[in-house]
Amino acid sequence: MTGYLGSYATLGLLLLAALLFFVTAFSANRLLRPGRPADPWGKRASYECGIDPVGGDWAQMQIRYYVYAYLYVLFAVEAVFLFPWALVFDRPGFGVTTVVEMAVFVGVVALGILYAWRKNILRWT
């Protein structure tokens, strides 16, 4: 398929194939499932390691778990950016430019860590 509308035709065929697959899968599910599924005793009861549940169903979470998860994601993204930087560092023409760019990046991350440390966000107790 060439021309201006060729890519749209390819996209349309792909969407049509996806829709056909979706309809076929759900139709097969409807035809092959049991007519009246069994409903044994206790199927809809709560299960908590074989022991009856105790207490309410609402529990309060500490915000510090989310802070640590956010910091983990932040450092994981930083590591993802450090690997390509290390690969192109020794190539000709990238020396000073890459050092300055990475210094700015690590500096911004370091300022964020310093801010979190000063606000006692990193303290567990």
Side-chain angles (χ1 to χ4, degrees):
M1 303 213 167
T2 59
Y4 181 71
L5 297 178
S7 59
Y8 289 112
T10 305
L11 178 66
L13 287 174
L14 182 64
L15 290 175
L16 184 66
L19 182 66
L20 183 66
F21 180 76
F22 178 79
V23 169
T24 303
F26 274 87
S27 299
N29 183 24
R30 183 170 284 256
L31 290 173
L32 297 175
R33 72 178 182 183
R36 294 184 56 121
D39 196 13
W41 179 84
K43 182 176 182 178
R44 300 198 194 315
S46 298
Y47 179 74
E48 190 174 314
C49 299
I51 302 172
D52 291 332
V54 177
D57 59 349
W58 186 83
Q60 186 175 6
M61 287 288 292
Q62 295 288 334
I63 191 67
R64 63 181 166 215
Y65 299 122
Y66 296 109
V67 170
Y68 279 95
Y70 178 72
L71 288 174
Y72 170 75
V73 169
L74 179 75
F75 287 116
V77 169
E78 180 185 2
V80 166
F81 282 128
L82 283 174
F83 285 122
W85 173 75
L87 290 175
V88 300
F89 176 68
D90 63 347
R91 292 187 182 167
F94 285 101
V96 176
T97 306
T98 54
V99 169
V100 170
E101 287 177 359
M102 195 48 63
V104 169
F105 178 72
V106 171
V108 169
V109 171
L111 282 175
I113 293 171
L114 182 65
Y115 175 78
W117 186 27
R118 297 284 298 209
K119 292 288 187 178
N120 288 330
I121 293 173
L122 301 176
R123 189 167 304 206
W124 186 256
T125 58

